[in-house]
Amino acid sequence: MAKVKEIAVVASQTRLGDDVYSMWIKTEEIAAQAEPGQFVDLYTKDGAKLLPRPISICETDKKKGLLRLVYRVVGEGTEEFSHYREGDSVEVMGPLGNGFPLEAGGKGKKAFLIGGGIGIPPMLELAKHLPCEKQVVLGYRDALFLNEEFHPYGDTYIATEDGSTGTKGNVLDAIRENGLKGDVIFACGPTPMLKALKAYAFENEMECYLSLEEKMACGIGACLACVCKSKSVDEHSMVHNKRICKDGPVFKAEEVEF
Amino acid sequence: MNTKVNLAGVELKNPVMTASGTFGSGEEYSEMIDLNHLGAVVTKGVANVPWPGNPTPRIAETYGGMINAIGLQNPGMEVFIKRDIPFLKKYDTKIIVNVCGKTTEDYIEVVERLADEPVDMLEINISCPNVKEGGIAFGQDPKAVEAITREVKRYAKQPVIMKLSPNVTDIGVMAKAAEAGGADVLSLINTLTGMKIDINRRTFAVANKTGGLSGPAIKPIAVRMVYQAANAVKLPIIGMGGIMNAEDAMEFILAGATAVSVGTANFRNPYAAEEVVKGIEDYMKKYHVEDIRELIGAVR
């Protein structure tokens, strides 16, 4: 099976707080193929907004053919999505990109699952699939969302920028304050966080996988909008660029330069 | 019903192709559509050596359009010849290679290298707004347009399409300049230079500050320019600029385009080019048109 673009039906939509929404959509073909760390493109109904919005997959229910998308309202496109209700339709393409390498979190390993802000949602499906011991570290500006849903999968540590919950500061402050140790990092979040985690992984000799984000157009590797700097010459581009949508969004930390 | 069109001796099964830069070399879209259905695939710009392109963010959405400043990132002609041409040869569609360069010599190097490759036509990109040298610098001066067309024609074995810039005062003058230089076909329009400001971050939305505006927002300008160019020269014209569906494509054909390119629409709808092919056939059936050539430039 290949990626598909189809009309999905909204199964439910709830507000998780502030500008964060959780939407389950019924899209059997995409749900059947989806792997942790992949994303989908959602299209607005307003033709004046041309480009799809890439949104990470938070959870997959393959039996029911459902995908859960947890997203933040940041502009008019995501604002439109937030008004969808059960039974509404939404055009979706996916699954897109490559997910997290599950084999890197095999039994006997100890992993950090780190999510920052709207990078938290994809870590939930990953948490369900990694057989290793998991320590979940979540970074927020202030209000929390999704954090309790991680509890079944491992010890969860919180950092907030305003100090309202857990460690005051960022995810690395939480790791240090709690004296956490591990072998491998899986992370998704803002670029400064990923950059800091890459350095931390190097200093602590940890394996590290990062999920990156960039403005995208096609979502399938043709337009070359969403590139990141790569350490080596990429065989597709022949320059130091990788495509986040097609070669990523998950990269081994050593592969990418910030 | 005949949907075949002829561009400088190259027969296309239908007038629909993909606009350069929006379709790679077709590989990514081949997972979603059947390239055999397209009249031609126009590749992303190919230079003599690999180009890294511009810093990110490279795109921004605007009302009814988008701004891009990819900067012609491409793997260079050797990789293109080894990897992309054999891929495209598997399909029953014409191969049009978009050629980019910084100097006349760069363009010629690519044109010469492609001379004996199984490429049906060359599209010379003298109108990219995102590269300082080459690109738009050539496309805004009629003397330069004529001169580079003449130079490229000396070395090209395939028919030469000159891709014109809309960022000019009089498109007719540019079209005539390309014709005087010996161009076989014209394609227009490339993107319009645009800018978007991110008011929340108080910065430019694309790192290059300016970029090329494409999408339905530019379609009326593109239709007008195709009409003006078609009235200025005798050359066949490939029309493009905001074609989202068959109705848009028909506007260009009626304005004087022999063929059309689907570009930005691919990003919103990967099936767009295929749907335009089907929609043109439907239009012909609806109005009992036997031959598409009856429609080319039918609105005067």
Side-chain angles (χ1 to χ4, degrees):
Chain A
M1 283 202 289
K3 53 184 78 74
V4 292
K5 184 176 184 224
E6 63 174 8
I7 295 172
V9 176
V10 175
S12 69
Q13 170 118 266
T14 49
R15 185 169 166 268
L16 299 185
D18 281 355
D19 298 327
V20 181
Y21 289 79
S22 167
M23 181 164 69
W24 281 94
I25 61 171
K26 185 149 177 93
T27 170
E28 283 177 14
E29 268 191 73
I30 300 175
Q33 301 178 66
E35 291 169 17
Q38 288 188 297
F39 67 99
V40 295
D41 267 352
L42 287 193
Y43 299 79
T44 68
K45 297 191 199 305
D46 177 1
K49 296 186 196 65
L50 288 182
L51 301 178
R53 273 58 180 167
I55 296 180
S56 64
I57 296 170
C58 174
E59 281 189 274
T60 307
D61 185 335
K62 290 184 191 287
K63 275 187 198 155
K64 292 180 181 164
L66 295 169
L67 287 182
R68 185 187 189 190
L69 308 174
V70 172
Y71 60 96
R72 190 192 295 280
V73 172
V74 291
E76 291 174 6
T78 40
E79 167 77 23
E80 180 190 308
F81 301 148
S82 74
H83 297 299
Y84 293 174
R85 294 291 170 260
E86 186 184 338
D88 287 349
S89 64
V90 56
E91 234 176 324
V92 57
M93 180 165 77
L96 301 175
N98 300 300
F100 286 101
L102 300 180
E103 66 281 0
K107 276 190 179 147
K109 290 241 182 115
K110 200 169 180 180
F112 289 168
L113 269 65
I114 303 175
I118 209 61
I120 290 169
M123 309 315 292
L124 186 57
E125 186 66 16
L126 180 66
K128 288 198 260 174
H129 283 82
L130 285 179
C132 63
E133 186 186 335
K134 293 166 284 260
Q135 302 171 99
V136 180
V137 188
L138 306 176
Y140 299 87
R141 244 178 279 159
D142 40 41
L144 309 186
F145 60 90
L146 277 184
N147 55 309
E148 289 178 356
E149 299 191 42
F150 283 90
H151 291 170
Y153 308 109
D155 292 333
T156 304
Y157 304 88
I158 308 284
T160 48
E161 282 175 24
D162 67 354
S164 53
T165 312
T167 302
K168 181 174 166 56
N170 60 36
V171 291
L172 274 173
D173 296 323
I175 288 169
R176 290 184 181 117
E177 190 173 278
N178 293 289
L180 304 181
K181 299 275 178 239
D183 315 301
V184 55
I185 294 174
F186 300 92
C188 183
T191 302
M193 180 190 106
L194 299 181
K195 188 177 174 182
L197 287 175
K198 180 185 170 177
Y200 176 87
F202 181 76
E203 284 161 23
N204 292 278
E205 296 178 350
M206 294 176 76
E207 228 179 310
C208 183
Y209 298 90
L210 305 174
S211 180
L212 273 57
E213 191 181 31
E214 182 54 72
K215 291 276 185 202
M216 289 182 186
C218 73
I220 60 173
C223 75
L224 309 185
C226 64
V227 296
C228 61
K229 292 272 166 231
S230 59
K231 189 179 176 192
S232 55
V233 169
D234 175 65
E235 63 175 36
H236 176 267
S237 68
M238 298 310 293
V239 290
H240 291 262
N241 275 347
K242 281 184 182 284
R243 297 167 293 178
I244 292 176
C245 69
K246 172 114 177 157
D247 305 320
V250 178
F251 294 96
K252 200 163 191 190
E254 302 92 280
E255 289 177 13
V256 292
E257 308 270 356
F258 291 101
Chain B
M1 192 169 76
N2 176 51
T3 58
K4 291 191 193 112
V5 294
N6 189 301
L7 289 175
V10 178
E11 188 176 80
L12 276 59
K13 65 173 81 168
N14 64 57
V16 182
M17 49 183 78
T18 55
S20 178
T22 64
F23 208 71
S25 288
E27 192 175 351
E28 292 79 15
Y29 281 97
S30 71
E31 289 182 45
M32 306 195 71
I33 69 169
D34 185 352
L35 303 184
N36 293 306
H37 293 165
L38 304 179
V41 169
V42 184
T43 70
K44 184 161 173 60
V46 176
N48 54 344
V49 293
W51 284 15
N54 288 330
T56 55
R58 289 177 168 188
I59 57 157
E61 190 180 67
T62 57
Y63 194 85
M66 62 176 279
I67 290 175
N68 93 78
I70 308 289
L72 295 174
Q73 180 186 323
N74 78 90
M77 61 186 182
E78 295 305 332
V79 166
F80 175 79
I81 288 166
K82 201 171 149 200
R83 180 182 67 197
D84 297 14
I85 292 180
F87 168 79
L88 284 168
K89 281 307 287 176
K90 292 188 290 185
Y91 296 91
D92 176 25
T93 187
K94 300 296 181 197
I95 304 173
I96 301 178
V97 180
N98 183 284
V99 179
C100 57
K102 292 190 170 79
T103 63
T104 304
E105 290 71 30
D106 289 349
Y107 288 99
I108 288 169
E109 205 179 319
V110 180
V111 167
E112 277 194 302
R113 182 71 182 84
L114 292 173
D116 297 315
E117 296 295 330
V119 165
D120 296 293
M121 303 181 90
L122 304 171
E123 182 182 65
I124 310 301
N125 180 3
I126 52 165
S127 47
C128 177
N130 298 322
V131 291
K132 284 178 193 147
E133 308 124 319
I136 201 162
F138 282 108
Q140 287 179 326
D141 173 3
K143 281 186 191 141
V145 169
E146 183 178 338
I148 192 166
T149 307
R150 185 162 285 129
E151 275 300 296
V152 166
K153 275 295 289 178
R154 281 177 60 201
Y155 296 91
K157 284 201 182 162
Q158 296 91 348
V160 169
I161 307 163
M162 298 306 286
K163 186 163 184 178
L164 302 182
S165 169
N167 300 297
V168 296
T169 311
D170 187 343
I171 195 71
V173 169
M174 297 299 164
K176 281 180 183 159
E179 186 176 50
D184 299 293
V185 180
L186 302 179
S187 63
L188 63 153
I189 57 174
N190 205 322
T191 54
L192 285 144
T193 306
M195 179 181 281
K196 179 176 178 175
I197 304 285
D198 181 331
I199 60 162
N200 297 310
R201 288 165 50 233
R202 296 185 191 178
T203 182
F204 302 98
V206 295
N208 200 47
K209 297 184 184 176
T210 61
L213 176 64
S214 63
I218 71 166
K219 195 190 76 177
I221 300 169
V223 172
R224 182 261 296 176
M225 287 194 164
V226 165
Y227 176 79
Q228 287 177 328
N231 283 296
V233 297
K234 294 197 169 60
L235 303 175
I237 289 170
I238 305 166
M240 68 201 74
I243 296 177
M244 300 300 283
N245 50 45
E247 289 75 19
D248 294 337
M250 283 316 308
E251 281 196 57
F252 280 87
I253 291 170
L254 291 167
T258 299
V260 290
S261 276
V262 178
T264 299
N266 295 310
F267 302 153
R268 179 162 180 93
N269 175 13
Y271 313 116
E274 256 188 333
E275 288 174 8
V276 171
V277 173
K278 173 74 172 45
I280 289 175
E281 290 169 8
D282 292 344
Y283 178 92
M284 290 171 67
K285 278 181 208 151
K286 182 179 173 186
Y287 292 102
H288 309 290
V289 177
E290 281 303 313
D291 192 326
I292 187 137
R293 289 172 297 185
E294 295 167 30
L295 300 170
I296 297 166
V299 174
R300 293 269 157 202

